[in-house]
Amino acid sequence: MNRPPVTPTIPPQATLSKPAVNPAGTKPNILLIVSDDTGFGDLGPYGGGVGRGMPTPNIDRMAADGMTFFSFYAQPSCTPGRAAMQTGRIPNRSGMTTVAFQGQGGGLPKEEWTLGSVLKKAGYKTYFTGKWHLGESDYALPNAQGYDVMEHAFLYHANAYTYGDPEWFPDMDPKLRKMFNDVTKGSMSGLAGEKPREDWKVNGEYVNTPDKGVVGLPFLDSYIERSGIRFLEEAARNPEQPFFININFMKVHQPNLPAPEFKHKSMSKTKYADSLVELDAHIGNVMNKLRELGLDKNTLVFYTTDNGAWQDVYPDAGYTPLRGTKGTVREGGNRVPAIAVWPGYIAPGIRNHDILGGLDLMATFAALAGLELPKEDRGGAPIYFDSIDMSPVLFGNGKSTRDSWFYFTEDELTPGAARVGNYKAVFNLRGDDGAHTGGLAVDSNLGWKGPQKYVATVPQIFDLWQDPQERYDVFMNNYTEHTWTMVVFNDAISALMKTYVKYPPRKLQSESYSGPITLTQYQRLKYVRENLEKNGVNLPLPSGN
């Protein structure tokens, strides 16, 4: 069997021994805008916008002014998607594949580097506002993770704020309701090194009464926008100080409750469409302020979202023309919108198809700041980054050095799917039993609801250039047999797995139910433990983490 012409490579650890030269000649300001659960096909630059009943003029302008990415990847759900962006590491390395329920504590380990803590090393002023979703313990919050200022940080997905709301769940036991109301933290603010403070609680109602201690979901993004604009205004007063501002809007994660002024303002007049129009307006207001203050000329703006569309919650869901949904390793759960803007340095109207992703923000931002990425974590242990520097792509100087992408669900060390070049191998078939509307129907409604189901030696193979919807498995098709691609995938996955040996993953910070612990498993473990104990080795029983 001949080896295929494309030799796979895992992206090298981003040590950045020779940092990319910033074309502006100075450390640029960086504005990272992240939305929530935004569908690949909802936005104007991706065939959505007016064509889908939800105009996005401000995002359309960003695409016209800069570079739009069409093979940009996130992770399949909120917490790992945000962890990957913040750390530049595959989420299983940091243990952030899921997040605990409110009241359970935990979160992003204090040993991890974040975009904020790395850019602090280059003298950046760092700000954070909006959705965090990387844990609720004090050590895991933005103001303990490299951000000088944390204002209106929200620690959970939007629906978590409805748990204790009697209007949403009138059947809940009063004791359980009280528990949720007691442990759920609302808007969190604080400076670096300070004890974080709660500004007010959050619920799922149309109430905007911070003076009375509660603000409803419909109004959160207006507070996030105002914080972002206030940060920009402060930064403009000290133009010699480079800044990094991370603005994370809560929309359009379900339940979508558009602010009153955006109700029925979309053409579709649905809650999701109205909320997307609201999201676009908030982004537009931030971008307008950046231009008004004259900061846009030396600011790299990057917009993206945390994961693919969440079809499980249709009709309160985004749209993707790709197969699968949030919670799966299909393209629909992982390929996301992304746009970069920097007038004078990123050419306008560019459409890019290189394999890139949220993991790559870390190496890119560090390179522009003139930094090498740390070789040790914040606790002094060796650390591996899965991030590559995108700046050659952004500035038109070269192609992405990344030719592979690995897809993971919550409990996977080996990837559930892998892309090398234009080919993709799918091993974890979660979500393949979606709504049946034809023999070759794209599954659309089954994400986490679908059980994990792994193939043995015969994965599904798709050519993502010819078949981006993953409809036609060519692994052993009589005409287009692509069994040879397994040589490529085996090499890429083997290279990935070798990195775990030298750089072991951290303990999972939360764990979802992944199947029963059987009596036979327990008894075998007990037998092994007893025998090891006789030889002087202690093997503790599982703790659930």
Side-chain angles (χ1 to χ4, degrees):
M1 180 183 296
N2 292 327
R3 181 176 289 273
V6 178
T7 302
T9 58
I10 183 171
Q13 184 178 11
T15 56
L16 300 177
S17 56
K18 295 181 179 179
V21 176
N22 171 13
T26 59
K27 294 174 182 176
N29 305 314
I30 300 171
L31 167 58
L32 173 61
I33 302 174
V34 181
S35 60
D36 203 353
D37 286 11
T38 308
F40 188 87
D42 289 328
L43 308 179
Y46 295 88
V50 172
R52 297 214 48 253
M54 48 188 85
T56 56
N58 296 293
I59 294 173
D60 296 357
R61 178 176 175 180
M62 291 179 70
D65 290 345
M67 178 177 288
T68 305
F69 299 89
F70 288 84
S71 289
F72 193 89
Y73 288 93
Q75 306 296 317
S77 62
C78 300
T79 290
R82 292 167 189 276
M85 281 189 271
Q86 286 292 334
T87 66
R89 284 155 50 81
I90 292 170
N92 60 28
R93 297 194 193 276
S94 63
M96 296 303 295
T97 62
T98 60
V99 72
F101 268 92
Q102 57 262 51
Q104 293 182 318
L108 187 65
K110 59 181 180 296
E111 295 83 6
E112 288 289 326
W113 290 99
T114 66
L115 295 173
S117 56
V118 166
L119 289 174
K120 283 295 297 176
K121 290 166 60 69
Y124 276 66
K125 184 77 172 179
T126 55
Y127 304 83
F128 184 93
T129 184
K131 181 175 178 178
W132 180 241
H133 210 197
L134 296 176
E136 62 179 3
S137 291
D138 287 356
Y139 68 78
L141 300 191
N143 69 329
Q145 291 281 353
Y147 290 92
D148 294 314
V149 182
M150 167 184 79
E151 186 171 67
H152 300 314
F154 301 99
L155 309 187
Y156 319 107
H157 62 283
N159 196 259
Y161 294 101
T162 69
Y163 294 163
D165 191 328
E167 295 297 321
W168 282 85
F169 301 107
D171 57 331
M172 183 180 287
D173 182 275
K175 292 180 181 178
L176 183 58
R177 187 189 317 286
K178 182 179 184 305
M179 184 278 292
F180 276 123
N181 287 332
D182 287 344
V183 302
T184 303
K185 298 180 181 180
S187 170
M188 303 298 293
S189 298
L191 302 179
E194 287 185 348
K195 177 78 174 175
R197 67 181 184 276
E198 185 177 56
D199 306 306
W200 24 258
K201 293 290 187 183
V202 178
N203 68 10
E205 305 301 320
Y206 275 86
V207 294
N208 189 11
T209 55
D211 54 317
K212 297 180 180 178
V214 63
V215 173
L217 285 173
F219 303 95
L220 298 190
D221 279 358
S222 64
Y223 285 90
I224 296 169
E225 177 198 308
R226 286 200 291 272
S227 289
I229 287 176
R230 186 159 50 247
F231 295 161
L232 290 173
E233 291 172 339
E234 178 182 326
R237 290 193 287 269
N238 188 9
E240 301 304 313
Q241 169 73 61
F243 63 79
F244 168 54
I245 295 177
N246 188 190
I247 301 174
N248 297 261
F249 291 108
M250 297 289 284
K251 288 185 170 64
V252 281
H253 191 292
Q254 67 92 22
N256 276 290
L257 301 172
E261 64 270 28
F262 290 96
K263 278 188 173 183
H264 298 167
K265 287 299 188 292
S266 68
M267 298 155 64
S268 294
K269 305 194 186 316
T270 65
K271 289 181 178 179
Y272 182 87
D274 291 345
S275 295
L276 194 77
V277 169
E278 179 186 347
L279 170 66
D280 180 77
H282 290 306
I283 291 174
N285 291 339
V286 171
M287 293 299 293
N288 289 338
K289 177 58 67 171
L290 188 77
R291 301 182 191 106
E292 174 192 318
L293 294 169
L295 295 171
D296 59 315
K297 300 298 188 293
N298 192 37
T299 300
L300 168 64
V301 180
F302 204 97
Y303 161 74
T304 189
T305 189
D306 54 357
N307 49 254
W310 193 359
Q311 293 288 298
D312 281 359
V313 296
Y314 181 85
D316 194 12
Y319 168 75
T320 174
L322 305 168
R323 184 174 187 173
T325 176
K326 175 180 177 179
T328 72
V329 297
R330 299 294 188 179
E331 294 296 285
N334 295 266
R335 201 187 296 200
V336 296
I339 302 170
V341 182
W342 188 2
Y345 301 101
I346 297 177
I350 300 297
R351 297 162 65 89
N352 179 272
H353 295 274
D354 290 8
I355 301 173
L356 295 163
L359 284 169
D360 301 325
L361 298 178
M362 173 64 87
T364 305
F365 294 172
L368 293 176
L371 287 174
E372 292 186 12
L373 286 177
K375 295 179 174 60
E376 296 180 341
D377 68 16
R378 294 169 76 187
I383 190 170
Y384 188 95
F385 291 94
D386 301 282
S387 190
I388 67 160
D389 177 14
M390 293 188 289
S391 55
V393 176
L394 295 176
F395 307 131
N397 300 325
K399 298 284 290 180
S400 168
T401 58
R402 179 187 292 286
D403 64 6
S404 62
W405 189 263
F406 301 105
Y407 310 68
F408 298 88
T409 55
E410 310 84 57
D411 201 32
E412 292 176 320
L413 189 62
T414 52
R419 175 179 178 175
V420 178
N422 55 302
Y423 289 105
K424 179 177 180 180
V426 178
F427 307 96
N428 179 357
L429 305 184
R430 175 194 281 185
D432 68 336
D433 190 26
H436 295 295
T437 55
L440 295 176
V442 174
D443 55 293
S444 60
N445 296 325
L446 222 54
W448 281 303
K449 295 176 185 174
Q452 295 190 122
K453 184 173 67 176
Y454 291 89
V455 298
T457 57
V458 184
Q460 295 177 349
I461 302 292
F462 302 98
D463 181 343
L464 293 180
W465 283 352
Q466 297 191 73
D467 179 26
Q469 289 186 322
E470 301 171 82
R471 294 162 70 100
Y472 305 103
D473 177 8
V474 296
F475 185 77
M476 299 193 81
N477 178 285
N478 189 49
Y479 179 66
T480 59
E481 181 182 323
H482 284 69
T483 53
W484 55 263
T485 59
M486 286 311 299
V487 177
V488 178
F489 293 118
N490 285 338
D491 283 356
I493 294 171
S494 294
L496 170 69
M497 297 306 294
K498 288 176 182 177
T499 68
Y500 294 131
V501 177
K502 185 175 180 181
Y503 306 94
R506 300 194 196 280
K507 180 178 74 70
L508 290 180
Q509 299 305 296
S510 180
E511 186 177 2
S512 58
Y513 182 70
S514 56
I517 298 175
T518 65
L519 287 171
T520 51
Q521 287 174 331
Y522 173 76
Q523 289 170 352
R524 286 172 186 159
L525 180 61
K526 186 171 183 289
Y527 173 80
V528 170
R529 183 187 185 201
E530 290 171 348
N531 278 272
L532 288 174
E533 283 178 335
K534 290 177 182 178
N535 293 322
V537 177
N538 179 35
L539 181 66
L541 286 170
S543 66
N545 290 313

